[in-house]
Amino acid sequence: MIVHVRSHTGEKPYECNQCGKAFSYPSILQYHKRTHTGEKPYECNQCGKAFAQSSNLQCHKIIHTGEKNYECNQCDKAFARSAHLQYYRKTHTGEKPYECNQCGKAFATPRDLQYHKRTHTGEKPYECSQCAKAFTRPRYLQYHKRTHTGEKPYECNHCGKAFAQHSHLQNHKRIHTGEKPYECKQCGKAFAQHSHLQYHNSIHTGEKPYECNQWGKAFARPSDLQYHKRIHTGEKPYECNQCGKAFATHSHLQYHKRTHTGEKLYECKQCGKTFSYHTVVQRHKRTHTGEKPYECSQCGKAFSYHIVLQRHKITHTGEKPYECNQCGKAFTRHSGLQYHKRIHTGEKPYECNQCGKAFAQRRYLRYHKITHTGEKHYECNQCGKAFARPSYLQYHKRNHNGEKPY
Protein backbone atom coordinates (compact mmCIF):
# COMPACT_ATOMS: atom_id res chain seq x y z
CA MET A 1 0.00 0.00 0.00
CA ILE A 2 2.86 2.40 0.90
CA VAL A 3 4.57 1.71 -2.43
CA HIS A 4 1.37 2.51 -4.33
CA VAL A 5 0.88 5.79 -2.40
CA ARG A 6 4.37 6.99 -3.35
CA SER A 7 3.55 6.70 -7.04
CA HIS A 8 0.87 9.39 -6.44
CA THR A 9 2.61 11.60 -3.88
CA GLY A 10 6.00 11.69 -5.58
CA GLU A 11 7.74 10.92 -2.27
CA LYS A 12 11.38 9.83 -2.73
CA PRO A 13 12.87 8.81 0.64
CA TYR A 14 15.82 6.77 -0.72
CA GLU A 15 18.81 8.94 -1.61
CA CYS A 16 22.07 8.04 -3.34
CA ASN A 17 25.01 8.93 -1.06
CA GLN A 18 27.24 9.60 -4.07
CA CYS A 19 25.24 12.04 -6.20
CA GLY A 20 22.26 12.88 -3.97
CA LYS A 21 19.64 11.67 -6.46
CA ALA A 22 16.50 10.40 -4.68
CA PHE A 23 14.20 7.47 -5.48
CA SER A 24 10.79 6.19 -4.40
CA TYR A 25 11.89 2.58 -3.87
CA PRO A 26 15.05 0.94 -2.46
CA SER A 27 15.26 -1.47 -5.44
CA ILE A 28 15.54 1.44 -7.88
CA LEU A 29 18.23 3.04 -5.70
CA GLN A 30 20.20 -0.24 -5.89
CA TYR A 31 19.96 -0.25 -9.70
CA HIS A 32 21.01 3.40 -9.79
CA LYS A 33 24.11 2.76 -7.65
CA ARG A 34 25.40 0.49 -10.39
CA THR A 35 25.80 3.54 -12.67
CA HIS A 36 28.53 4.64 -10.21
CA THR A 37 30.10 1.25 -9.52
CA GLY A 38 29.81 -0.07 -13.06
CA GLU A 39 28.54 -3.40 -11.69
CA LYS A 40 26.79 -5.56 -14.32
CA PRO A 41 25.83 -8.91 -12.81
CA TYR A 42 23.52 -10.09 -15.62
CA GLU A 43 25.37 -11.52 -18.62
CA CYS A 44 24.06 -12.67 -22.01
CA ASN A 45 25.00 -16.31 -22.62
CA GLN A 46 25.13 -15.75 -26.40
CA CYS A 47 27.42 -12.72 -26.81
CA GLY A 48 28.74 -12.14 -23.27
CA LYS A 49 27.34 -8.62 -22.99
CA ALA A 50 26.57 -7.70 -19.37
CA PHE A 51 23.82 -5.58 -17.84
CA ALA A 52 23.08 -3.86 -14.55
CA GLN A 53 19.44 -5.04 -14.47
CA SER A 54 17.83 -8.39 -15.23
CA SER A 55 15.07 -6.68 -17.24
CA ASN A 56 17.69 -5.09 -19.51
CA LEU A 57 19.22 -8.50 -20.16
CA GLN A 58 15.80 -9.90 -21.11
CA CYS A 59 15.23 -7.03 -23.52
CA HIS A 60 18.71 -7.51 -25.01
CA LYS A 61 18.11 -11.22 -25.69
CA ILE A 62 15.39 -10.24 -28.16
CA ILE A 63 18.13 -8.82 -30.43
CA HIS A 64 19.41 -12.39 -30.90
CA THR A 65 16.00 -13.99 -31.39
CA GLY A 66 14.58 -11.19 -33.55
CA GLU A 67 11.26 -11.66 -31.77
CA LYS A 68 8.85 -8.70 -32.13
CA ASN A 69 5.50 -9.53 -30.55
CA TYR A 70 4.09 -6.00 -30.29
CA GLU A 71 2.62 -4.76 -33.57
CA CYS A 72 1.22 -1.33 -34.43
CA ASN A 73 -2.38 -1.66 -35.65
CA GLN A 74 -2.00 1.40 -37.89
CA CYS A 75 1.10 0.56 -39.94
CA ASP A 76 1.97 -3.06 -38.95
CA LYS A 77 5.39 -2.04 -37.64
CA ALA A 78 6.46 -4.46 -34.89
CA PHE A 79 8.47 -3.98 -31.69
CA ALA A 80 10.26 -6.18 -29.20
CA ARG A 81 8.91 -4.29 -26.20
CA SER A 82 5.42 -3.11 -25.29
CA ALA A 83 6.78 0.25 -24.07
CA HIS A 84 8.44 0.90 -27.45
CA LEU A 85 5.13 0.27 -29.21
CA GLN A 86 3.35 2.70 -26.87
CA TYR A 87 5.93 5.42 -27.58
CA TYR A 88 5.83 4.70 -31.32
CA ARG A 89 2.02 5.03 -31.49
CA LYS A 90 2.43 8.66 -30.52
CA THR A 91 4.16 9.30 -33.87
CA HIS A 92 0.75 8.58 -35.47
CA THR A 93 -1.32 10.60 -33.00
CA GLY A 94 1.25 13.37 -32.55
CA GLU A 95 0.53 13.23 -28.82
CA LYS A 96 3.19 14.94 -26.70
CA PRO A 97 1.73 15.45 -23.22
CA TYR A 98 4.98 16.28 -21.41
CA GLU A 99 6.02 19.91 -21.84
CA CYS A 100 9.20 21.70 -20.80
CA ASN A 101 8.35 24.62 -18.50
CA GLN A 102 11.41 26.56 -19.72
CA CYS A 103 11.08 26.51 -23.51
CA GLY A 104 7.65 24.96 -24.07
CA LYS A 105 8.98 22.05 -26.14
CA ALA A 106 6.78 18.95 -25.75
CA PHE A 107 7.66 15.25 -25.58
CA ALA A 108 5.89 11.92 -25.92
CA THR A 109 7.41 10.38 -22.76
CA PRO A 110 8.34 11.75 -19.29
CA ARG A 111 11.84 10.29 -19.62
CA ASP A 112 12.47 12.24 -22.85
CA LEU A 113 11.36 15.41 -21.04
CA GLN A 114 13.81 14.70 -18.18
CA TYR A 115 16.68 14.22 -20.63
CA HIS A 116 15.68 17.37 -22.51
CA LYS A 117 15.74 19.45 -19.33
CA ARG A 118 19.46 18.72 -19.08
CA THR A 119 20.03 20.79 -22.23
CA HIS A 120 18.95 23.77 -20.09
CA THR A 121 20.74 22.84 -16.86
CA GLY A 122 23.89 21.49 -18.53
CA GLU A 123 23.73 18.46 -16.22
CA LYS A 124 25.74 15.46 -17.48
CA PRO A 125 25.73 12.85 -14.71
CA TYR A 126 27.18 9.96 -16.72
CA GLU A 127 30.97 10.23 -17.05
CA CYS A 128 33.43 8.08 -19.02
CA SER A 129 36.08 6.58 -16.71
CA GLN A 130 38.68 6.64 -19.52
CA CYS A 131 38.50 10.20 -20.88
CA ALA A 132 36.15 11.91 -18.34
CA LYS A 133 33.73 12.96 -21.11
CA ALA A 134 30.23 13.29 -19.63
CA PHE A 135 26.78 12.59 -21.04
CA THR A 136 23.14 13.38 -20.31
CA ARG A 137 21.94 9.78 -20.78
CA PRO A 138 23.40 6.44 -19.66
CA ARG A 139 23.01 4.89 -23.12
CA TYR A 140 25.04 7.75 -24.66
CA LEU A 141 27.84 6.83 -22.26
CA GLN A 142 27.59 3.16 -23.32
CA TYR A 143 27.78 4.13 -27.00
CA HIS A 144 30.71 6.44 -26.30
CA LYS A 145 32.67 3.70 -24.52
CA ARG A 146 32.69 1.76 -27.78
CA THR A 147 34.79 4.53 -29.38
CA HIS A 148 37.53 3.41 -26.94
CA THR A 149 37.00 -0.34 -27.30
CA GLY A 150 36.18 -0.35 -31.02
CA GLU A 151 33.32 -2.75 -30.27
CA LYS A 152 30.73 -3.05 -33.07
CA PRO A 153 28.36 -5.86 -32.06
CA TYR A 154 25.62 -5.22 -34.64
CA GLU A 155 26.38 -6.55 -38.13
CA CYS A 156 24.39 -6.12 -41.37
CA ASN A 157 23.55 -9.53 -42.83
CA HIS A 158 23.40 -7.99 -46.31
CA CYS A 159 26.83 -6.37 -46.66
CA GLY A 160 28.64 -7.34 -43.43
CA LYS A 161 29.11 -3.76 -42.21
CA ALA A 162 29.17 -3.58 -38.39
CA PHE A 163 27.85 -0.91 -36.05
CA ALA A 164 28.32 0.13 -32.43
CA GLN A 165 24.59 0.81 -31.96
CA HIS A 166 21.58 -1.32 -32.87
CA SER A 167 19.65 1.74 -34.09
CA HIS A 168 22.49 2.54 -36.53
CA LEU A 169 22.20 -0.95 -37.97
CA GLN A 170 18.43 -0.52 -38.39
CA ASN A 171 18.95 2.82 -40.14
CA HIS A 172 21.68 1.33 -42.33
CA LYS A 173 19.44 -1.55 -43.47
CA ARG A 174 17.12 1.00 -45.09
CA ILE A 175 19.89 1.80 -47.56
CA HIS A 176 19.43 -1.73 -48.90
CA THR A 177 15.62 -1.78 -48.72
CA GLY A 178 15.04 1.85 -49.78
CA GLU A 179 12.44 2.14 -46.98
CA LYS A 180 11.57 5.72 -45.95
CA PRO A 181 8.82 5.44 -43.32
CA TYR A 182 8.97 9.02 -42.00
CA GLU A 183 7.09 11.51 -44.19
CA CYS A 184 6.85 15.29 -43.87
CA LYS A 185 3.21 16.36 -43.50
CA GLN A 186 3.91 19.69 -45.20
CA CYS A 187 5.75 18.73 -48.39
CA GLY A 188 5.50 14.93 -48.51
CA LYS A 189 9.26 14.36 -48.52
CA ALA A 190 10.12 11.01 -46.90
CA PHE A 191 13.08 10.00 -44.76
CA ALA A 192 14.69 6.77 -43.63
CA GLN A 193 15.28 8.09 -40.10
CA HIS A 194 12.89 9.87 -37.73
CA SER A 195 15.65 12.27 -36.64
CA HIS A 196 16.15 13.35 -40.26
CA LEU A 197 12.45 14.20 -40.49
CA GLN A 198 12.76 16.28 -37.31
CA TYR A 199 15.71 18.19 -38.77
CA HIS A 200 13.84 18.64 -42.06
CA ASN A 201 10.79 20.08 -40.26
CA SER A 202 12.94 22.96 -39.01
CA ILE A 203 13.33 24.08 -42.66
CA HIS A 204 9.56 24.75 -42.73
CA THR A 205 9.26 26.24 -39.24
CA GLY A 206 12.56 28.10 -39.23
CA GLU A 207 12.83 27.20 -35.54
CA LYS A 208 16.36 27.43 -34.11
CA PRO A 209 16.08 27.28 -30.31
CA TYR A 210 19.76 26.52 -29.58
CA GLU A 211 21.88 29.67 -29.59
CA CYS A 212 25.65 30.18 -29.27
CA ASN A 213 26.35 32.55 -26.36
CA GLN A 214 29.51 33.84 -28.06
CA TRP A 215 28.25 34.77 -31.54
CA GLY A 216 24.51 34.53 -31.10
CA LYS A 217 24.31 32.07 -34.01
CA ALA A 218 21.28 29.78 -33.61
CA PHE A 219 20.78 26.11 -34.49
CA ALA A 220 17.87 23.73 -34.95
CA ARG A 221 19.62 20.88 -33.09
CA PRO A 222 21.52 20.83 -29.76
CA SER A 223 24.19 18.61 -31.36
CA ASP A 224 24.82 21.25 -34.04
CA LEU A 225 25.34 23.84 -31.31
CA GLN A 226 27.83 21.55 -29.55
CA TYR A 227 29.77 21.01 -32.79
CA HIS A 228 29.69 24.74 -33.50
CA LYS A 229 31.13 25.55 -30.07
CA ARG A 230 34.23 23.57 -31.04
CA ILE A 231 34.98 26.28 -33.62
CA HIS A 232 35.56 28.60 -30.64
CA THR A 233 37.39 26.12 -28.44
CA GLY A 234 39.32 24.37 -31.24
CA GLU A 235 38.45 21.06 -29.57
CA LYS A 236 38.94 18.01 -31.81
CA PRO A 237 38.40 14.96 -29.60
CA TYR A 238 38.23 12.34 -32.37
CA GLU A 239 41.65 11.31 -33.68
CA CYS A 240 42.50 8.98 -36.59
CA ASN A 241 44.68 6.11 -35.32
CA GLN A 242 46.35 5.82 -38.74
CA CYS A 243 47.53 9.36 -39.48
CA GLY A 244 46.82 11.25 -36.24
CA LYS A 245 44.49 13.78 -37.88
CA ALA A 246 41.85 14.98 -35.41
CA PHE A 247 38.21 15.95 -35.92
CA ALA A 248 35.52 17.86 -34.06
CA THR A 249 32.85 15.19 -34.66
CA HIS A 250 32.86 11.40 -34.60
CA SER A 251 31.06 11.20 -37.97
CA HIS A 252 33.78 13.28 -39.64
CA LEU A 253 36.38 10.87 -38.28
CA GLN A 254 34.43 7.92 -39.73
CA TYR A 255 34.25 9.64 -43.12
CA HIS A 256 37.97 10.44 -42.97
CA LYS A 257 38.88 6.81 -42.28
CA ARG A 258 37.49 5.92 -45.70
CA THR A 259 40.25 7.98 -47.31
CA HIS A 260 42.63 5.31 -45.93
CA THR A 261 40.49 2.27 -46.76
CA GLY A 262 39.16 3.54 -50.11
CA GLU A 263 35.77 2.10 -49.08
CA LYS A 264 32.91 3.21 -51.37
CA LEU A 265 29.66 1.59 -50.31
CA TYR A 266 27.13 3.57 -52.30
CA GLU A 267 26.65 3.39 -56.08
CA CYS A 268 24.64 5.60 -58.43
CA LYS A 269 22.36 3.31 -60.47
CA GLN A 270 22.37 5.71 -63.42
CA CYS A 271 26.08 6.18 -64.09
CA GLY A 272 27.69 3.54 -61.83
CA LYS A 273 29.79 6.09 -59.93
CA THR A 274 30.51 4.99 -56.36
CA PHE A 275 30.68 7.08 -53.21
CA SER A 276 31.90 6.71 -49.66
CA TYR A 277 28.79 8.30 -48.10
CA HIS A 278 25.07 7.73 -48.61
CA THR A 279 24.29 11.47 -48.44
CA VAL A 280 26.78 12.18 -51.23
CA VAL A 281 25.19 9.67 -53.60
CA GLN A 282 21.77 11.21 -52.89
CA ARG A 283 23.13 14.64 -53.77
CA HIS A 284 24.92 13.28 -56.83
CA LYS A 285 21.63 11.91 -58.20
CA ARG A 286 20.44 15.50 -58.54
CA THR A 287 23.06 16.06 -61.26
CA HIS A 288 21.00 13.59 -63.32
CA THR A 289 17.51 14.76 -62.34
CA GLY A 290 18.25 18.51 -62.15
CA GLU A 291 16.20 18.66 -58.93
CA LYS A 292 16.63 21.89 -56.93
CA PRO A 293 14.37 21.65 -53.88
CA TYR A 294 15.92 24.48 -51.83
CA GLU A 295 14.74 27.98 -52.80
CA CYS A 296 15.95 31.35 -51.52
CA SER A 297 13.05 33.32 -50.01
CA GLN A 298 14.71 36.62 -50.98
CA CYS A 299 15.51 36.20 -54.67
CA GLY A 300 13.82 32.92 -55.62
CA LYS A 301 17.03 31.23 -56.78
CA ALA A 302 16.89 27.45 -56.27
CA PHE A 303 19.61 25.01 -55.25
CA SER A 304 20.17 21.27 -55.22
CA TYR A 305 21.58 21.24 -51.68
CA HIS A 306 20.43 22.87 -48.45
CA ILE A 307 23.99 23.82 -47.48
CA VAL A 308 24.46 25.68 -50.79
CA LEU A 309 21.27 27.64 -50.09
CA GLN A 310 22.66 28.60 -46.67
CA ARG A 311 25.88 29.81 -48.28
CA HIS A 312 23.92 31.70 -50.92
CA LYS A 313 21.91 33.57 -48.28
CA ILE A 314 25.14 35.14 -47.06
CA THR A 315 25.45 36.91 -50.43
CA HIS A 316 22.37 38.92 -49.36
CA THR A 317 23.62 39.70 -45.83
CA GLY A 318 27.34 40.07 -46.69
CA GLU A 319 28.19 38.34 -43.41
CA LYS A 320 31.75 36.96 -43.08
CA PRO A 321 32.06 35.64 -39.54
CA TYR A 322 35.25 33.57 -39.99
CA GLU A 323 38.42 35.68 -39.81
CA CYS A 324 42.06 34.64 -40.26
CA ASN A 325 44.08 35.55 -37.15
CA GLN A 326 47.24 35.95 -39.27
CA CYS A 327 46.19 38.34 -42.05
CA GLY A 328 42.66 39.39 -41.05
CA LYS A 329 40.98 38.08 -44.21
CA ALA A 330 37.37 37.07 -43.50
CA PHE A 331 35.27 34.27 -44.95
CA THR A 332 31.62 33.35 -45.17
CA ARG A 333 32.34 29.68 -44.34
CA HIS A 334 34.47 28.00 -41.70
CA SER A 335 35.83 25.57 -44.32
CA GLY A 336 36.94 28.55 -46.43
CA LEU A 337 38.97 29.85 -43.49
CA GLN A 338 40.53 26.41 -42.93
CA TYR A 339 41.57 26.16 -46.59
CA HIS A 340 42.91 29.72 -46.50
CA LYS A 341 45.09 28.99 -43.46
CA ARG A 342 46.97 26.44 -45.56
CA ILE A 343 48.31 29.34 -47.64
CA HIS A 344 50.18 30.45 -44.50
CA THR A 345 51.20 26.97 -43.33
CA GLY A 346 51.85 25.46 -46.77
CA GLU A 347 50.00 22.33 -45.65
CA LYS A 348 48.86 20.00 -48.47
CA PRO A 349 47.34 16.96 -46.77
CA TYR A 350 45.75 15.37 -49.86
CA GLU A 351 48.26 13.40 -51.93
CA CYS A 352 47.74 11.55 -55.22
CA ASN A 353 48.66 7.87 -54.78
CA GLN A 354 49.68 7.65 -58.46
CA CYS A 355 52.08 10.54 -58.94
CA GLY A 356 52.59 11.92 -55.41
CA LYS A 357 51.32 15.42 -56.21
CA ALA A 358 49.76 17.02 -53.11
CA PHE A 359 46.86 19.44 -52.71
CA ALA A 360 45.48 21.73 -50.02
CA GLN A 361 41.86 20.65 -50.64
CA ARG A 362 40.34 17.21 -51.19
CA ARG A 363 38.27 18.34 -54.18
CA TYR A 364 41.43 19.50 -56.00
CA LEU A 365 42.86 16.01 -55.50
CA ARG A 366 39.64 14.50 -56.92
CA TYR A 367 39.83 16.73 -59.99
CA HIS A 368 43.52 15.92 -60.40
CA LYS A 369 42.89 12.16 -60.31
CA ILE A 370 40.70 12.55 -63.39
CA THR A 371 43.82 13.51 -65.37
CA HIS A 372 45.00 9.93 -64.73
CA THR A 373 41.67 8.14 -65.32
CA GLY A 374 40.16 10.34 -68.06
CA GLU A 375 36.75 10.00 -66.37
CA LYS A 376 33.99 12.38 -67.55
CA HIS A 377 30.81 11.76 -65.57
CA TYR A 378 29.03 15.06 -66.20
CA GLU A 379 27.17 14.98 -69.50
CA CYS A 380 25.25 17.76 -71.26
CA ASN A 381 21.64 16.66 -71.84
CA GLN A 382 21.43 18.87 -74.95
CA CYS A 383 24.46 17.84 -77.00
CA GLY A 384 25.90 14.86 -75.12
CA LYS A 385 29.32 16.42 -74.50
CA ALA A 386 30.89 15.14 -71.26
CA PHE A 387 33.05 16.89 -68.66
CA ALA A 388 35.30 15.94 -65.77
CA ARG A 389 33.87 18.53 -63.36
CA PRO A 390 30.28 19.72 -62.70
CA SER A 391 31.48 23.35 -62.92
CA TYR A 392 32.79 22.73 -66.46
CA LEU A 393 29.37 21.36 -67.44
CA GLN A 394 27.67 24.47 -65.99
CA TYR A 395 29.97 26.77 -67.98
CA HIS A 396 29.32 24.73 -71.12
CA LYS A 397 25.52 24.96 -70.75
CA ARG A 398 25.80 28.73 -71.06
CA ASN A 399 26.81 28.22 -74.69
CA HIS A 400 23.36 26.73 -75.33
CA ASN A 401 21.27 29.30 -73.46
CA GLY A 402 23.38 32.32 -74.44
CA GLU A 403 23.94 33.32 -70.83
CA LYS A 404 26.85 35.74 -70.27
CA PRO A 405 26.98 36.38 -66.54
CA TYR A 406 30.31 38.22 -66.52
Side-chain angles (χ1 to χ4, degrees):
M1 188 66 175
I2 293 171
V3 168
H4 178 68
V5 167
R6 282 179 194 147
S7 66
H8 294 295
T9 64
E11 184 190 355
K12 294 182 177 181
Y14 303 99
E15 190 173 300
C16 174
N17 54 15
Q18 282 190 264
C19 66
K21 195 169 182 180
F23 300 89
S24 300
Y25 318 117
S27 58
I28 298 177
L29 173 60
Q30 292 308 309
Y31 295 146
H32 164 78
K33 283 182 175 179
R34 288 172 187 161
T35 64
H36 298 300
T37 63
E39 184 192 0
K40 293 180 178 181
Y42 304 100
E43 190 173 300
C44 175
N45 55 14
Q46 282 190 262
C47 66
K49 191 170 181 182
F51 298 87
Q53 297 183 36
S54 176
S55 59
N56 290 349
L57 172 59
Q58 296 309 311
C59 296
H60 163 80
K61 283 182 175 180
I62 293 166
I63 294 169
H64 297 301
T65 64
E67 186 185 357
K68 291 183 178 181
N69 292 325
Y70 303 96
E71 192 173 294
C72 176
N73 54 13
Q74 285 188 262
C75 67
D76 294 333
K77 189 166 183 178
F79 297 86
R81 298 166 71 175
S82 174
H84 290 173
L85 172 59
Q86 296 308 313
Y87 298 150
Y88 174 76
R89 279 179 176 163
K90 288 171 184 172
T91 64
H92 293 301
T93 64
E95 183 192 358
K96 292 182 178 180
Y98 305 99
E99 190 173 300
C100 175
N101 54 15
Q102 282 189 264
C103 67
K105 195 168 182 180
F107 298 87
T109 70
R111 185 175 60 174
D112 287 339
L113 173 59
Q114 291 306 311
Y115 291 148
H116 163 78
K117 283 182 174 179
R118 289 174 184 162
T119 64
H120 297 301
T121 63
E123 182 194 4
K124 292 182 178 181
Y126 306 101
E127 190 173 299
C128 175
S129 57
Q130 282 189 264
C131 66
K133 191 168 182 181
F135 298 87
T136 55
R137 304 189 186 196
R139 66 187 172 102
Y140 291 166
L141 173 59
Q142 294 306 312
Y143 299 151
H144 165 77
K145 282 180 175 178
R146 289 174 186 159
T147 64
H148 296 301
T149 64
E151 182 194 4
K152 292 182 178 180
Y154 306 103
E155 189 173 303
C156 175
N157 54 15
H158 190 84
C159 66
K161 190 170 182 184
F163 298 86
Q165 299 180 34
H166 185 253
S167 60
H168 290 176
L169 171 59
Q170 295 306 114
N171 293 335
H172 164 80
K173 281 182 175 179
R174 291 177 186 144
I175 295 167
H176 299 302
T177 63
E179 183 193 3
K180 292 183 178 181
Y182 304 102
E183 190 173 301
C184 175
K185 290 175 183 175
Q186 284 190 261
C187 66
K189 191 168 182 180
F191 299 87
Q193 298 182 37
H194 186 255
S195 59
H196 291 175
L197 172 60
Q198 297 302 312
Y199 307 150
H200 166 81
N201 281 340
S202 64
I203 295 169
H204 296 300
T205 64
E207 184 191 4
K208 293 183 177 180
Y210 305 99
E211 189 172 301
C212 172
N213 54 16
Q214 282 188 264
W215 281 358
K217 191 170 182 179
F219 299 87
R221 299 180 277 179
S223 58
D224 288 344
L225 174 59
Q226 293 306 311
Y227 298 149
H228 165 80
K229 282 181 175 178
R230 289 174 185 161
I231 294 170
H232 301 302
T233 63
E235 183 193 4
K236 292 183 177 181
Y238 304 100
E239 189 173 302
C240 175
N241 55 14
Q242 283 190 264
C243 67
K245 191 169 182 181
F247 299 85
T249 71
H250 184 254
S251 59
H252 288 168
L253 171 61
Q254 295 307 309
Y255 297 152
H256 163 78
K257 282 182 174 179
R258 290 176 188 164
T259 63
H260 296 302
T261 63
E263 182 185 12
K264 291 185 176 181
L265 300 172
Y266 309 103
E267 185 177 312
C268 172
K269 290 176 182 175
Q270 281 189 264
C271 65
K273 193 169 183 183
T274 55
F275 299 87
S276 298
Y277 322 117
H278 182 247
T279 52
V280 178
V281 75
Q282 294 306 311
R283 292 169 189 163
H284 163 79
K285 283 178 180 178
R286 291 175 190 155
T287 63
H288 298 301
T289 63
E291 183 193 2
K292 293 183 177 181
Y294 304 101
E295 189 173 302
C296 176
S297 57
Q298 284 188 264
C299 67
K301 193 169 181 180
F303 300 88
S304 297
Y305 315 124
H306 184 252
I307 192 169
V308 179
L309 170 61
Q310 295 306 312
R311 292 168 186 165
H312 163 79
K313 284 181 175 178
I314 293 169
T315 63
H316 295 301
T317 64
E319 182 192 4
K320 291 185 177 181
Y322 304 100
E323 188 173 304
C324 176
N325 54 14
Q326 283 189 265
C327 67
K329 190 170 182 179
F331 298 84
T332 56
R333 292 183 281 169
H334 182 252
S335 59
L337 172 60
Q338 295 306 309
Y339 297 147
H340 164 79
K341 282 182 174 179
R342 290 173 185 159
I343 296 169
H344 298 301
T345 63
E347 183 192 5
K348 292 183 177 181
Y350 305 102
E351 189 173 302
C352 175
N353 55 13
Q354 284 189 264
C355 67
K357 192 169 182 180
F359 299 86
Q361 297 184 34
R362 182 183 283 116
R363 66 189 172 110
Y364 292 154
L365 172 60
R366 277 202 311 269
Y367 298 149
H368 165 78
K369 282 183 174 179
I370 291 165
T371 63
H372 295 300
T373 63
E375 270 181 276
K376 292 183 178 180
H377 285 303
Y378 304 97
E379 190 174 300
C380 176
N381 54 15
Q382 285 187 264
C383 67
K385 192 169 181 180
F387 298 87
R389 303 189 193 185
S391 57
Y392 292 168
L393 174 58
Q394 295 306 312
Y395 300 148
H396 164 79
K397 282 183 175 178
R398 290 172 186 158
N399 295 330
H400 293 300
N401 60 34
E403 186 186 350
K404 293 181 179 180
Y406 307 109

